[in-house]
Amino acid sequence: MITTPGPAGAGRPRDTAIDVAVLEAALCELARNGMAGLSLAAVASAAGTTRPAIYRRWKDKTALVVDAVAHLAEVAPPTVTGEALTDLVAELEHFRQCISEASALPLAGLMLGDGVDQVVREQYAQKIVAPRRRRLKACLAAAVEQGDLPDDADFTIATSFLTGSWYAFALAETEPPANWASRTGDLVWRALGGDPAEVRSRTRSGR
């Protein structure tokens, strides 16, 4: 979904195929060279378009990257199984994939700086941060409905802990463990008053 492009040419309909090609090319560039090394010329070449065509759609490189990362998050969202803990871990694994495969971590840091256009910052919050937090809260709410977490579970703090632990590893320049998603999900689940081992035992037994 593209919500930050500039105005299209008068009387000429937008070519959404170019939009998608540019977003996917930008993701490849991000993965290869990171935010700092992303080249709009390389993106345009890979997408089969031109730099002016990109600038007609996005005001600058940061706006393009915001949409590219949002596009990645929308391409293959986790399938909801109805088992809240399973869905929570799947959501965290999807977060790990999105932030690492697109080398998008510097983008999160950039959004905290002073030089980012406020409109772009708001788009980042609306398209990347808010949907992820809603899905994480939905997993926890489902757990309450299923009786696996208590009614007074603090979803607001919990959702910040869930994704925040990844950023903490990054700040410490430490590689997160391969099973980061399941360990983080279990830790927060226990902190909220649940028992992940009991949930998994019930799931395995089909009860």
PDB file of all heavy atoms in Angstrom, residues 47-70:
ATOM      1  N   ALA A  47      14.335  -1.414 -11.270  1.00  0.00           N
ATOM      2  CA  ALA A  47      12.882  -1.406 -11.448  1.00  0.00           C
ATOM      3  C   ALA A  47      12.466  -1.117 -12.882  1.00  0.00           C
ATOM      4  O   ALA A  47      11.268  -1.146 -13.208  1.00  0.00           O
ATOM      5  CB  ALA A  47      12.256  -0.373 -10.510  1.00  0.00           C
ATOM      6  N   GLY A  48      13.421  -0.807 -13.733  1.00  0.00           N
ATOM      7  CA  GLY A  48      13.106  -0.500 -15.114  1.00  0.00           C
ATOM      8  C   GLY A  48      12.424   0.843 -15.291  1.00  0.00           C
ATOM      9  O   GLY A  48      11.579   1.010 -16.166  1.00  0.00           O
ATOM     10  N   THR A  49      12.819   1.802 -14.466  1.00  0.00           N
ATOM     11  CA  THR A  49      12.221   3.130 -14.551  1.00  0.00           C
ATOM     12  C   THR A  49      13.319   4.178 -14.402  1.00  0.00           C
ATOM     13  O   THR A  49      14.494   3.878 -14.615  1.00  0.00           O
ATOM     14  CB  THR A  49      11.104   3.300 -13.495  1.00  0.00           C
ATOM     15  OG1 THR A  49      10.417   4.528 -13.717  1.00  0.00           O
ATOM     16  CG2 THR A  49      11.639   3.251 -12.084  1.00  0.00           C
ATOM     17  N   THR A  50      12.949   5.400 -14.047  1.00  0.00           N
ATOM     18  CA  THR A  50      13.918   6.484 -13.950  1.00  0.00           C
ATOM     19  C   THR A  50      13.843   7.163 -12.588  1.00  0.00           C
ATOM     20  O   THR A  50      12.840   7.047 -11.871  1.00  0.00           O
ATOM     21  CB  THR A  50      13.646   7.546 -15.027  1.00  0.00           C
ATOM     22  OG1 THR A  50      12.343   8.120 -14.786  1.00  0.00           O
ATOM     23  CG2 THR A  50      13.676   6.925 -16.413  1.00  0.00           C
ATOM     24  N   ARG A  51      14.901   7.890 -12.249  1.00  0.00           N
ATOM     25  CA  ARG A  51      14.886   8.660 -10.996  1.00  0.00           C
ATOM     26  C   ARG A  51      13.749   9.674 -10.961  1.00  0.00           C
ATOM     27  O   ARG A  51      13.056   9.798  -9.942  1.00  0.00           O
ATOM     28  CB  ARG A  51      16.239   9.362 -10.785  1.00  0.00           C
ATOM     29  CG  ARG A  51      17.328   8.446 -10.248  1.00  0.00           C
ATOM     30  CD  ARG A  51      18.687   9.111 -10.335  1.00  0.00           C
ATOM     31  NE  ARG A  51      18.695  10.417  -9.698  1.00  0.00           N
ATOM     32  CZ  ARG A  51      19.187  10.666  -8.467  1.00  0.00           C
ATOM     33  NH1 ARG A  51      19.705   9.676  -7.762  1.00  0.00           N
ATOM     34  NH2 ARG A  51      19.178  11.877  -7.970  1.00  0.00           N
ATOM     35  N   PRO A  52      13.489  10.421 -12.058  1.00  0.00           N
ATOM     36  CA  PRO A  52      12.349  11.352 -12.022  1.00  0.00           C
ATOM     37  C   PRO A  52      11.024  10.649 -11.737  1.00  0.00           C
ATOM     38  O   PRO A  52      10.160  11.197 -11.042  1.00  0.00           O
ATOM     39  CB  PRO A  52      12.368  11.984 -13.404  1.00  0.00           C
ATOM     40  CG  PRO A  52      13.797  11.918 -13.827  1.00  0.00           C
ATOM     41  CD  PRO A  52      14.299  10.616 -13.280  1.00  0.00           C
ATOM     42  N   ALA A  53      10.859   9.430 -12.265  1.00  0.00           N
ATOM     43  CA  ALA A  53       9.622   8.679 -12.005  1.00  0.00           C
ATOM     44  C   ALA A  53       9.499   8.339 -10.523  1.00  0.00           C
ATOM     45  O   ALA A  53       8.402   8.352  -9.959  1.00  0.00           O
ATOM     46  CB  ALA A  53       9.588   7.410 -12.848  1.00  0.00           C
ATOM     47  N   ILE A  54      10.630   8.032  -9.904  1.00  0.00           N
ATOM     48  CA  ILE A  54      10.615   7.749  -8.464  1.00  0.00           C
ATOM     49  C   ILE A  54      10.249   9.002  -7.684  1.00  0.00           C
ATOM     50  O   ILE A  54       9.412   8.976  -6.765  1.00  0.00           O
ATOM     51  CB  ILE A  54      11.974   7.188  -8.004  1.00  0.00           C
ATOM     52  CG1 ILE A  54      12.197   5.790  -8.584  1.00  0.00           C
ATOM     53  CG2 ILE A  54      12.051   7.140  -6.473  1.00  0.00           C
ATOM     54  CD1 ILE A  54      13.544   5.183  -8.255  1.00  0.00           C
ATOM     55  N   TYR A  55      10.861  10.130  -8.053  1.00  0.00           N
ATOM     56  CA  TYR A  55      10.595  11.370  -7.324  1.00  0.00           C
ATOM     57  C   TYR A  55       9.168  11.875  -7.544  1.00  0.00           C
ATOM     58  O   TYR A  55       8.660  12.671  -6.741  1.00  0.00           O
ATOM     59  CB  TYR A  55      11.608  12.443  -7.714  1.00  0.00           C
ATOM     60  CG  TYR A  55      12.923  12.297  -6.988  1.00  0.00           C
ATOM     61  CD1 TYR A  55      14.106  12.040  -7.685  1.00  0.00           C
ATOM     62  CD2 TYR A  55      12.982  12.417  -5.602  1.00  0.00           C
ATOM     63  CE1 TYR A  55      15.317  11.906  -7.025  1.00  0.00           C
ATOM     64  CE2 TYR A  55      14.186  12.282  -4.931  1.00  0.00           C
ATOM     65  CZ  TYR A  55      15.342  12.030  -5.639  1.00  0.00           C
ATOM     66  OH  TYR A  55      16.539  11.893  -4.966  1.00  0.00           O
ATOM     67  N   ARG A  56       8.529  11.448  -8.629  1.00  0.00           N
ATOM     68  CA  ARG A  56       7.115  11.798  -8.791  1.00  0.00           C
ATOM     69  C   ARG A  56       6.234  11.051  -7.793  1.00  0.00           C
ATOM     70  O   ARG A  56       5.122  11.470  -7.499  1.00  0.00           O
ATOM     71  CB  ARG A  56       6.654  11.501 -10.230  1.00  0.00           C
ATOM     72  CG  ARG A  56       7.109  12.535 -11.251  1.00  0.00           C
ATOM     73  CD  ARG A  56       6.313  12.415 -12.543  1.00  0.00           C
ATOM     74  NE  ARG A  56       6.520  11.127 -13.209  1.00  0.00           N
ATOM     75  CZ  ARG A  56       7.495  10.917 -14.104  1.00  0.00           C
ATOM     76  NH1 ARG A  56       8.357  11.874 -14.408  1.00  0.00           N
ATOM     77  NH2 ARG A  56       7.602   9.741 -14.691  1.00  0.00           N
ATOM     78  N   ARG A  57       6.750   9.922  -7.293  1.00  0.00           N
ATOM     79  CA  ARG A  57       5.977   9.091  -6.382  1.00  0.00           C
ATOM     80  C   ARG A  57       6.366   9.286  -4.923  1.00  0.00           C
ATOM     81  O   ARG A  57       5.527   9.163  -4.033  1.00  0.00           O
ATOM     82  CB  ARG A  57       6.145   7.621  -6.774  1.00  0.00           C
ATOM     83  CG  ARG A  57       5.485   7.260  -8.085  1.00  0.00           C
ATOM     84  CD  ARG A  57       6.002   5.929  -8.619  1.00  0.00           C
ATOM     85  NE  ARG A  57       5.166   5.408  -9.707  1.00  0.00           N
ATOM     86  CZ  ARG A  57       5.243   5.815 -10.963  1.00  0.00           C
ATOM     87  NH1 ARG A  57       6.117   6.753 -11.321  1.00  0.00           N
ATOM     88  NH2 ARG A  57       4.441   5.296 -11.883  1.00  0.00           N
ATOM     89  N   TRP A  58       7.637   9.545  -4.673  1.00  0.00           N
ATOM     90  CA  TRP A  58       8.133   9.707  -3.307  1.00  0.00           C
ATOM     91  C   TRP A  58       8.977  10.974  -3.231  1.00  0.00           C
ATOM     92  O   TRP A  58       9.805  11.223  -4.107  1.00  0.00           O
ATOM     93  CB  TRP A  58       8.978   8.501  -2.884  1.00  0.00           C
ATOM     94  CG  TRP A  58       8.169   7.251  -2.746  1.00  0.00           C
ATOM     95  CD1 TRP A  58       7.483   6.839  -1.648  1.00  0.00           C
ATOM     96  CD2 TRP A  58       7.969   6.235  -3.741  1.00  0.00           C
ATOM     97  NE1 TRP A  58       6.853   5.640  -1.899  1.00  0.00           N
ATOM     98  CE2 TRP A  58       7.133   5.250  -3.177  1.00  0.00           C
ATOM     99  CE3 TRP A  58       8.397   6.075  -5.057  1.00  0.00           C
ATOM    100  CZ2 TRP A  58       6.723   4.113  -3.869  1.00  0.00           C
ATOM    101  CZ3 TRP A  58       7.991   4.952  -5.770  1.00  0.00           C
ATOM    102  CH2 TRP A  58       7.172   3.983  -5.175  1.00  0.00           C
ATOM    103  N   LYS A  59       8.812  11.710  -2.161  1.00  0.00           N
ATOM    104  CA  LYS A  59       9.488  13.008  -2.062  1.00  0.00           C
ATOM    105  C   LYS A  59      10.984  12.874  -1.839  1.00  0.00           C
ATOM    106  O   LYS A  59      11.755  13.753  -2.221  1.00  0.00           O
ATOM    107  CB  LYS A  59       8.865  13.850  -0.948  1.00  0.00           C
ATOM    108  CG  LYS A  59       9.002  13.261   0.443  1.00  0.00           C
ATOM    109  CD  LYS A  59       8.371  14.169   1.494  1.00  0.00           C
ATOM    110  CE  LYS A  59       9.086  15.495   1.556  1.00  0.00           C
ATOM    111  NZ  LYS A  59       8.503  16.386   2.592  1.00  0.00           N
ATOM    112  N   ASP A  60      11.410  11.762  -1.176  1.00  0.00           N
ATOM    113  CA  ASP A  60      12.844  11.571  -0.948  1.00  0.00           C
ATOM    114  C   ASP A  60      13.121  10.101  -0.644  1.00  0.00           C
ATOM    115  O   ASP A  60      12.208   9.268  -0.640  1.00  0.00           O
ATOM    116  CB  ASP A  60      13.357  12.476   0.186  1.00  0.00           C
ATOM    117  CG  ASP A  60      12.592  12.279   1.489  1.00  0.00           C
ATOM    118  OD1 ASP A  60      12.019  11.186   1.701  1.00  0.00           O
ATOM    119  OD2 ASP A  60      12.544  13.224   2.292  1.00  0.00           O
ATOM    120  N   LYS A  61      14.391   9.804  -0.399  1.00  0.00           N
ATOM    121  CA  LYS A  61      14.798   8.422  -0.171  1.00  0.00           C
ATOM    122  C   LYS A  61      14.157   7.840   1.080  1.00  0.00           C
ATOM    123  O   LYS A  61      13.740   6.667   1.094  1.00  0.00           O
ATOM    124  CB  LYS A  61      16.330   8.350  -0.069  1.00  0.00           C
ATOM    125  CG  LYS A  61      16.864   6.939   0.102  1.00  0.00           C
ATOM    126  CD  LYS A  61      18.364   6.885  -0.059  1.00  0.00           C
ATOM    127  CE  LYS A  61      19.099   7.447   1.140  1.00  0.00           C
ATOM    128  NZ  LYS A  61      20.574   7.203   1.052  1.00  0.00           N
ATOM    129  N   THR A  62      14.052   8.640   2.134  1.00  0.00           N
ATOM    130  CA  THR A  62      13.471   8.140   3.378  1.00  0.00           C
ATOM    131  C   THR A  62      12.012   7.741   3.187  1.00  0.00           C
ATOM    132  O   THR A  62      11.567   6.696   3.673  1.00  0.00           O
ATOM    133  CB  THR A  62      13.579   9.199   4.492  1.00  0.00           C
ATOM    134  OG1 THR A  62      14.956   9.526   4.688  1.00  0.00           O
ATOM    135  CG2 THR A  62      12.997   8.679   5.794  1.00  0.00           C
ATOM    136  N   ALA A  63      11.251   8.567   2.466  1.00  0.00           N
ATOM    137  CA  ALA A  63       9.843   8.246   2.216  1.00  0.00           C
ATOM    138  C   ALA A  63       9.722   6.946   1.427  1.00  0.00           C
ATOM    139  O   ALA A  63       8.831   6.123   1.685  1.00  0.00           O
ATOM    140  CB  ALA A  63       9.171   9.391   1.468  1.00  0.00           C
ATOM    141  N   LEU A  64      10.614   6.734   0.467  1.00  0.00           N
ATOM    142  CA  LEU A  64      10.611   5.498  -0.309  1.00  0.00           C
ATOM    143  C   LEU A  64      10.909   4.306   0.590  1.00  0.00           C
ATOM    144  O   LEU A  64      10.245   3.263   0.504  1.00  0.00           O
ATOM    145  CB  LEU A  64      11.637   5.579  -1.439  1.00  0.00           C
ATOM    146  CG  LEU A  64      11.903   4.267  -2.201  1.00  0.00           C
ATOM    147  CD1 LEU A  64      10.629   3.744  -2.846  1.00  0.00           C
ATOM    148  CD2 LEU A  64      12.996   4.471  -3.247  1.00  0.00           C
ATOM    149  N   VAL A  65      11.897   4.433   1.467  1.00  0.00           N
ATOM    150  CA  VAL A  65      12.277   3.323   2.337  1.00  0.00           C
ATOM    151  C   VAL A  65      11.146   2.971   3.294  1.00  0.00           C
ATOM    152  O   VAL A  65      10.889   1.789   3.570  1.00  0.00           O
ATOM    153  CB  VAL A  65      13.575   3.662   3.100  1.00  0.00           C
ATOM    154  CG1 VAL A  65      13.844   2.633   4.191  1.00  0.00           C
ATOM    155  CG2 VAL A  65      14.752   3.717   2.133  1.00  0.00           C
ATOM    156  N   VAL A  66      10.460   3.975   3.822  1.00  0.00           N
ATOM    157  CA  VAL A  66       9.312   3.714   4.698  1.00  0.00           C
ATOM    158  C   VAL A  66       8.292   2.841   3.972  1.00  0.00           C
ATOM    159  O   VAL A  66       7.806   1.838   4.498  1.00  0.00           O
ATOM    160  CB  VAL A  66       8.658   5.029   5.166  1.00  0.00           C
ATOM    161  CG1 VAL A  66       7.296   4.760   5.813  1.00  0.00           C
ATOM    162  CG2 VAL A  66       9.557   5.755   6.158  1.00  0.00           C
ATOM    163  N   ASP A  67       7.969   3.211   2.728  1.00  0.00           N
ATOM    164  CA  ASP A  67       6.990   2.440   1.971  1.00  0.00           C
ATOM    165  C   ASP A  67       7.528   1.054   1.606  1.00  0.00           C
ATOM    166  O   ASP A  67       6.767   0.083   1.567  1.00  0.00           O
ATOM    167  CB  ASP A  67       6.606   3.189   0.695  1.00  0.00           C
ATOM    168  CG  ASP A  67       5.348   4.026   0.885  1.00  0.00           C
ATOM    169  OD1 ASP A  67       4.744   3.956   1.967  1.00  0.00           O
ATOM    170  OD2 ASP A  67       4.970   4.757  -0.046  1.00  0.00           O
ATOM    171  N   ALA A  68       8.816   0.946   1.342  1.00  0.00           N
ATOM    172  CA  ALA A  68       9.391  -0.351   0.980  1.00  0.00           C
ATOM    173  C   ALA A  68       9.308  -1.329   2.146  1.00  0.00           C
ATOM    174  O   ALA A  68       8.925  -2.494   1.973  1.00  0.00           O
ATOM    175  CB  ALA A  68      10.842  -0.179   0.538  1.00  0.00           C
ATOM    176  N   VAL A  69       9.644  -0.866   3.337  1.00  0.00           N
ATOM    177  CA  VAL A  69       9.577  -1.734   4.520  1.00  0.00           C
ATOM    178  C   VAL A  69       8.127  -2.086   4.834  1.00  0.00           C
ATOM    179  O   VAL A  69       7.808  -3.229   5.200  1.00  0.00           O
ATOM    180  CB  VAL A  69      10.270  -1.073   5.723  1.00  0.00           C
ATOM    181  CG1 VAL A  69      10.113  -1.929   6.972  1.00  0.00           C
ATOM    182  CG2 VAL A  69      11.756  -0.865   5.428  1.00  0.00           C
ATOM    183  N   ALA A  70       7.225  -1.114   4.688  1.00  0.00           N
ATOM    184  CA  ALA A  70       5.807  -1.390   4.896  1.00  0.00           C
ATOM    185  C   ALA A  70       5.310  -2.417   3.882  1.00  0.00           C
ATOM    186  O   ALA A  70       4.507  -3.300   4.207  1.00  0.00           O
ATOM    187  CB  ALA A  70       4.995  -0.103   4.794  1.00  0.00           C
TER     188      ALA A  70
END
